[in-house]
Amino acid sequence: MAVTHLECKECKAQYPLEALYVCEHCFGPLEVAYDHSAWNGDVAEVRRKIQGGPQNIWRYADFLPLAGGPPGPSGRLASRVGLPAGCTPLIRADRLAERLGLREVWVKNDAANPTHSFKDRVVSVAVTRARELGFQTIACASTGNLANSVAAHGAALGMESYVFIPADLEEQKVLATGVYGTSLVGVEGSYDDVNRLCTELCADRDWAFVNINLRPYYAEGSKTLAFEIAEQLGWELPDRCVVPVASGSLFTKIARGFNEWRELGLLDGPLPRMNGAQADGCSPVASAFAAGHDVCRPVKPRTIAKSLAIGNPADGPYALDLARRTGGSVDSVSDEEIRAGIGLLAQTTGIFTETAGGVTTAVLAKLAERGDIDADERVVLVITGEGLKTLDAVRGTFETHTIEPTVEAFAAAVPGTVSV
Ligand SMILES: *Cc1c(COP(=O)(O)O)cnc(C)c1O
Ligand SMILES: [Zn+2]
């Protein structure tokens, strides 16, 4: 697989592999294109090569948009060291499945990345490409997790970084960004305001904004989630994936990853049903899905799921098309359901996820309750972030017994435990 050029998703105009992201003819988004023609069809050899690769996303380097040259003996390029992402656990969640009346549910726990969200995948790819293109400074417009990851990658690689966030972000996410020594800017406004500001800054500064001018490369990083799921399932596709949707990039790129491997014969069978998950308080894609529209009407976000609070999702139309094409859906859940989703996942799997994972788990529960999931389906729930970053969401959801340090006090506070 060789990366060849950037291509407009709408009019197919071609562009060189530079820091470009929008088509000058039709303003469509640009995406990375590859040439598969050198592929000799030896599936076993490719699988062996992947399995012998590093324990991080660079085991899939052949499917990512980097120049770089051939990997060294350890499978690593000098430009790709720093903060390795990926190879997160895929865990069979029988207790969760049982609770929901399902047969087979797997949890892909992407909180187990260096900065505790799936954003390390996309940032690793974008920053590596930024270095190849000669950028000295990295930057981003973030709903929270991207900020953590860009700041940490800047520190790991010794690059200057600028991180722009909505000023009202969760305190944990702000602290877990500033600690890396980045230039942190809180903008009074929504994420969509932050993104607009950064798009303006991007035009007159020689910076690599990972999710703006480097977006075509950034987005490719999400494919590694699909590659890992398939590899961890023994080179098989799941029947269904439930995935959170903010801009819709992760959702659509997981499907693209599965598709690339299907086209090369590395995987057999149909594309999984793709179910997108949003919060009621920011559900432009779910609303368009329900209304049968092909495009999303922008909204002003109001939800505890701040990492998903993008009111004007760039990949909304593609996410709608994907959900419809695969027999999936895009659903939304209330803040109360999000809190319950966090509790359900924690209490049945031992995995504590942030509000975005509460959204995803609650949507899975909704699909199960609605009878959308067949008895023989293998379902993958994509958990994208860590619960310690959104502690307010679980405050007050359980009781603590505070007691004097005596046996009597314990027996009085927690009756029903029998002494021998
Ligand atoms: C960024 C993010 C997503 C999804 O982002 P997209 O813009 O749709 O790719 C999902 N979960 C978490 C925790 C995130 O930080
Ligand atoms: Zn175009």
Side-chain angles (χ1 to χ4, degrees), residues 8-13 15 23-28 30:
C8 173
K9 279 183 92 162
E10 293 299 325
C11 77
K12 309 296 172 197
Y15 295 86
C23 178
E24 13 178 273
H25 304 295
C26 75
F27 302 107
L30 303 186

Side-chain angles (χ1 to χ4, degrees), residues 116-119 122 143-146 173 215 218 222 243-251 307-308 310 315 353-357 360 382-386:
H116 317 288
S117 87
F118 98 93
K119 290 295 199 300
V122 285
T143 57
N145 287 311
L146 191 55
K173 281 186 183 154
R215 190 171 179 84
Y218 160 98
S222 287
V243 181
V245 172
S247 71
S249 176
L250 171 67
F251 183 65
S307 54
L308 302 182
I310 297 185
D315 290 302
T353 184
E354 69 150 82
T355 44
T360 319
V382 177
I383 294 300
T384 47
E386 163 65 46

Side-chain angles (χ1 to χ4, degrees), residues 3-91:
V3 52
T4 53
H5 59 274
L6 297 178
E7 189 168 294
C8 173
K9 279 183 92 162
E10 293 299 325
C11 77
K12 309 296 172 197
Q14 297 192 1
Y15 295 86
L17 290 162
E18 288 166 13
L20 301 169
Y21 64 105
V22 64
C23 178
E24 13 178 273
H25 304 295
C26 75
F27 302 107
L30 303 186
E31 194 168 46
V32 177
Y34 300 84
D35 178 12
H36 300 209
S37 63
W39 164 241
N40 67 6
D42 191 341
V43 169
E45 187 198 310
V46 173
R47 287 180 179 169
R48 243 190 336 268
K49 186 175 172 207
I50 290 170
Q51 283 169 326
Q55 293 292 320
N56 56 55
I57 60 166
W58 303 124
R59 68 204 275 109
Y60 310 113
D62 288 347
F63 307 91
L64 294 172
L66 308 168
S74 63
R76 294 192 314 190
L77 285 168
S79 65
R80 293 176 196 167
V81 295
L83 204 55
C87 286
T88 60
L90 180 73
I91 301 152

Side-chain angles (χ1 to χ4, degrees), residues 81-82 127 131 135-138 151-161:
V81 295
V127 170
R131 296 228 304 181
F135 285 98
Q136 312 284 329
T137 303
I138 55 174
H153 277 80
L157 296 168
M159 295 177 84
E160 203 181 351
S161 65

Side-chain angles (χ1 to χ4, degrees), residues 102-247:
L102 302 173
R103 189 183 61 107
E104 191 176 336
V105 176
W106 296 78
V107 175
K108 180 64 173 165
N109 184 13
D110 240 27
N113 270 306
T115 71
H116 317 288
S117 87
F118 98 93
K119 290 295 199 300
D120 291 322
R121 298 176 184 275
V122 285
V123 172
S124 282
V125 175
V127 170
T128 301
R129 185 63 191 146
R131 296 228 304 181
E132 287 181 351
L133 291 170
F135 285 98
Q136 312 284 329
T137 303
I138 55 174
C140 70
S142 174
T143 57
N145 287 311
L146 191 55
N148 293 178
S149 186
V150 165
H153 277 80
L157 296 168
M159 295 177 84
E160 203 181 351
S161 65
Y162 289 83
V163 164
F164 298 81
I165 53 173
D168 69 348
L169 214 55
E170 296 97 341
E171 188 186 20
Q172 291 91 3
K173 281 186 183 154
V174 177
L175 296 174
T177 300
V179 72
Y180 296 114
T182 185
S183 296
L184 182 57
V185 183
V187 177
E188 285 174 6
S190 68
Y191 169 80
D192 301 282
D193 297 318
V194 177
N195 190 52
R196 200 173 332 106
L197 167 65
C198 287
T199 305
E200 283 178 41
L201 290 173
C202 184
D204 62 23
R205 244 148 272 242
D206 200 14
W207 294 355
F209 274 89
V210 297
N211 58 335
I212 301 177
N213 52 339
L214 273 287
R215 190 171 179 84
Y217 309 100
Y218 160 98
E220 290 286 288
S222 287
K223 293 190 312 190
T224 61
L225 243 168
F227 296 153
E228 275 180 34
I229 289 168
E231 191 186 347
Q232 288 169 316
L233 289 174
W235 307 100
E236 286 185 10
L237 286 161
D239 299 304
R240 183 186 296 274
C241 292
V242 187
V243 181
V245 172
S247 71

